[in-house]
Amino acid sequence: MTPLEGSERDFGPDVNVREPGDSSGERGRPPYRGPRGKTASITESRIAAAAILAEVRSGQLLDPAFERHAGPLDARDRRWVQELVWGTLRRRGWFDAVLSSRVRGGLARLDGDVADLLRLGAYQLLNMGSVPPYAAIAQTVELAKQRHGIGASKLVNAVLRRVDRERDALDPVAPSDPVDALAQRASHPRWLVARWVARFGLDDTAKLLEANNHEAPIVLRPFGVVREQLEAMLEGAGVSVMDAPLVHDSLVLGHGVQLTELGAFKQGLLFVQDPAATLVTRYAAIAPGSVVADLCAAPGGKALELSRTARLVIAADRVPGRLERLIVGLGRLDVENIVSYVGDAREPAVHNVDALLLDVPCTGTGTFRRHPDARWRIKTSDLAVMSTVQRDILRTASHCVRPGGLLIYSTCSLEPEENDAPIDAFLAEHSDFVLEPPPAGSVPDTVLDNGRLRVLPHKHGVDGAFAARLRRLETA
C-alpha cells in the first residue's frame, strides 16, 4: 500500500517515465529570447511543479497532487513535470546541504515555498540537461516574484546564480558521523537511515538508499493473453520491452512510451504492477474456485491478480474515490468476477470467505522509489500509529475467514513494527490460526524468510513487500 494511505500504483498507468521536454520545458510555450533577463511568461509546467510541491508540503500525497496540477498538460509536459518534481524530492536532502551554505542564515530560515522553488531551480540547473541555465534561473526567479514578491525573487536569483557559477565545486562537507554522511549523500531523513543501519548494516543501507533514488520502471502484467502474445503485440508496435525481475511473465516497458496510447492498453490486455505486488498474490496461492475478499483493495491490482483463479473476488475500500479508480480500471479490462463496495476493513461486510487479503495501510518504506515524498513525510510516531491500525484490521477482519480458510496479511513496508510484530502478536492471541508457507515453487526461494514473504529493494531490484500466509484451523 502507498505511504500512510494504503493505495499502491499497481493498477493503472504509472507515469514514472523520464523524457524531459524541449529546452523550455514544454511544447507550444513561448520561447526564451535570451539569457539577459528577457524571458517569456512562466511556463505552465513550472507553475504546476511549484503547486505540486506546495501541496505536498501541506501534507497532501504526491500522486493526487500531480494529477490535479499536471493532469491538464499534454503527455510530454506531464513527463517533464514528473521528472522535475520526483527528481527534486529524491535529491532534496542533498540540495538542502548545498543551498544552506549559500543562503545567509541557512535554508531553514526561509519560507517553505521559497525553499521549494530553490530546490526546483537547482534540480533544473544540475540535473536536467535539456534546460539551459538561464532558463532555469529566470523562470524560477519569475515564479518567486509571482508567489512572494521582489525580495524573494532577488534572493532566488542570487542563490541560483551562485550555484550555477560553482557547479564544479558544490559537494558539501561530509559530516564526520557515518550515518549523518550517508543520510546527506543519499538524501534520506537521518532517523530513518539510523534505524536501517542498525538493522541492515552500513553497506546494505547504502545500497537500499541508492535503490530508493533510482527511477521506478513501468512493469506490465498481461491480462487475457499470455506474456508471449503481449510481447509480440508491443514489439510489433515498435515498443521495446525487457524481462522483469522475479516474475517471469511480467514485462518492463522501455522509456519514452505513452502507456495509455498503446493498443494493448486500450484493449484491456495489460495493467501495471510492480513484481513485489505480484509476488504477494503468488505467495497467497489461493485455491482455484475460491471466494476471496480483498478489504483494502484500491486501486485494485492485487484483486485483479486474484481474479485469475478465484471464482469471485469481493473488493472493498473505505475511500470512495479510490474505489472509483478501481471500478474504472475494471471497466477497461472487462472483468466479470470482481464485485466492489465501500467499507472499512475494521467493520467488514463479508463473512465465511475462503481467503482474505489484508493489504493494510502502512508507511510504505518499501516504495520510496515510487513515492519520494514519503521519505520526508513520515515520522517516527507514524510507525506506532500504523501498527495500531494494522493490528485492529487484522484482529477484526480475521473473523471473515471460514474455518480451513486463508488469511494473507501484507504491506509495502520494510519496518518490523508493521510486518513481523503484528503477525507475531496475532498468532500469540489466536490459537486457531497458524503460519503456513505457500506451496513449493509459488515464489522464488530468495524472497522467503521462515515462511514469510520478504522482498527488499536493494536485494531483489523491485519494490519492498512483506506478507504472511495464515491458515485458520478447522477446529480451534
Side-chain angles (χ1 to χ4, degrees):
M1 315 303 275
T2 49
L4 306 183
E5 280 295 316
S7 169
E8 177 182 317
R9 291 194 75 126
D10 62 356
F11 190 52
D14 191 317
V15 292
N16 282 335
V17 184
R18 186 176 187 273
E19 186 180 294
D22 60 21
S23 62
S24 67
E26 299 105 352
R27 295 181 298 171
R29 300 299 300 163
Y32 285 93
R33 290 176 286 177
R36 298 185 178 276
K38 296 182 179 179
T39 62
S41 59
I42 304 169
T43 60
E44 292 176 1
S45 293
R46 290 180 173 90
I47 292 171
I52 292 165
L53 286 189
E55 287 202 4
V56 168
R57 192 175 60 258
S58 72
Q60 300 296 311
L61 294 175
L62 176 57
D63 282 353
F66 177 84
E67 291 302 327
R68 278 191 292 273
H69 296 285
L73 304 176
D74 68 23
R76 186 179 178 186
D77 294 347
R78 281 167 57 90
R79 288 193 294 268
W80 192 90
V81 173
Q82 189 176 38
E83 158 66 5
L84 174 57
V85 172
W86 265 247
T88 297
L89 287 167
R90 287 190 183 108
R91 301 270 290 166
R92 196 185 96 170
W94 186 84
F95 283 140
D96 286 3
V98 169
L99 293 168
S100 287
S101 65
R102 290 163 175 84
V103 173
R104 185 177 302 166
L107 203 64
R109 78 171 182 84
L110 300 182
D111 178 271
D113 193 64
V114 174
D116 274 342
L117 294 178
L118 283 171
R119 294 167 183 139
L120 288 171
Y123 189 83
Q124 292 171 69
L125 274 174
L126 303 174
N127 298 94
M128 298 183 79
S130 65
V131 181
Y134 72 80
I137 295 170
Q139 285 274 292
T140 309
V141 168
E142 289 299 312
L143 266 173
K145 182 186 297 183
Q146 181 186 85
R147 295 170 73 91
H148 298 283
I150 190 68
S153 72
K154 288 182 176 179
L155 181 145
V156 167
N157 182 64
V159 173
L160 291 183
R161 286 187 180 279
R162 184 176 173 188
V163 168
D164 188 33
R165 288 194 308 270
E166 300 173 359
R167 62 171 60 231
D168 294 329
L170 286 176
D171 279 338
V173 176
S176 58
D177 179 83
V179 173
D180 289 338
L182 182 56
Q184 176 179 284
R185 183 174 72 252
S187 191
H188 279 67
R190 201 267 181 199
W191 71 270
L192 199 51
V193 174
R195 64 180 277 127
W196 284 345
V197 168
R199 183 155 27 113
F200 300 127
L202 196 65
D203 290 343
D204 273 0
T205 299
K207 293 175 183 176
L208 172 58
L209 304 185
E210 181 181 4
N212 290 345
N213 285 336
H214 280 285
E215 194 173 330
I218 295 177
V219 182
L220 308 179
R221 297 285 299 134
F223 194 78
V225 293
V226 298
R227 172 218 158 102
E228 290 76 15
Q229 290 173 300
L230 179 60
E231 185 175 14
M233 289 182 66
L234 293 173
E235 290 181 343
V239 176
S240 64
V241 292
M242 297 165 287
D243 293 338
L246 300 174
V247 180
H248 75 277
D249 58 342
S250 289
L251 294 168
V252 176
L253 190 64
H255 281 295
V257 179
Q258 180 59 24
L259 179 66
T260 55
E261 296 303 314
L262 295 177
F265 179 86
K266 295 177 180 179
Q267 295 172 50
L269 301 178
L270 62 84
F271 61 99
V272 173
Q273 186 174 66
D274 188 85
T278 308
L279 287 170
V280 169
T281 60
R282 294 198 170 172
Y283 169 84
I286 302 300
S290 297
V291 174
V292 182
D294 179 357
L295 297 188
C296 306
K302 294 185 181 72
L304 194 57
E305 279 292 323
L306 295 172
S307 76
R308 296 181 190 271
T309 55
R311 176 167 62 87
L312 176 67
V313 176
I314 303 164
D317 199 274
R318 68 181 181 84
V319 180
R322 293 211 303 266
L323 196 68
E324 182 179 354
R325 179 183 171 192
L326 181 152
I327 293 169
V328 170
L330 296 182
R332 179 180 65 83
L333 292 156
D334 194 24
V335 185
E336 296 182 349
N337 64 335
I338 299 180
V339 297
S340 60
Y341 74 92
V342 176
D344 194 314
R346 289 168 290 192
E347 299 176 354
V350 297
H351 62 90
N352 210 39
V353 297
D354 299 314
L356 173 67
L357 174 62
L358 296 177
D359 192 27
V360 295
C362 67
T363 58
T365 54
T367 61
F368 278 179
R369 63 178 186 164
R370 296 189 186 277
H371 305 285
D373 56 317
R375 71 182 72 174
W376 307 115
R377 187 175 64 252
I378 65 171
K379 308 178 294 294
T380 53
S381 59
D382 290 330
L383 294 171
V385 171
M386 285 292 102
S387 180
T388 299
V389 171
Q390 292 151 0
R391 293 177 191 226
D392 285 348
I393 291 175
L394 188 54
R395 182 176 60 255
T396 57
S398 64
H399 300 293
C400 302
V401 182
R402 68 166 175 81
L406 282 173
L407 186 160
I408 299 91
Y409 172 94
S410 72
T411 79
C412 58
S413 172
L414 306 180
E415 312 315 310
E417 294 94 328
E418 302 181 271
N419 294 340
D420 297 285
I423 291 300
D424 292 342
F426 177 82
L427 290 173
E429 297 167 0
H430 295 77
S431 60
D432 55 335
F433 280 87
V434 295
L435 179 72
E436 180 181 281
S442 299
V443 296
D445 291 341
T446 56
V447 297
L448 287 176
D449 180 11
N450 292 319
R452 306 179 189 197
L453 181 79
R454 200 179 311 277
V455 188
L456 301 171
H458 58 295
K459 290 188 178 296
H460 303 114
V462 298
D463 288 350
F466 171 86
R469 187 175 185 268
L470 311 181
R471 177 75 69 180
R472 186 173 189 181
L473 301 178
E474 293 284 356
T475 56

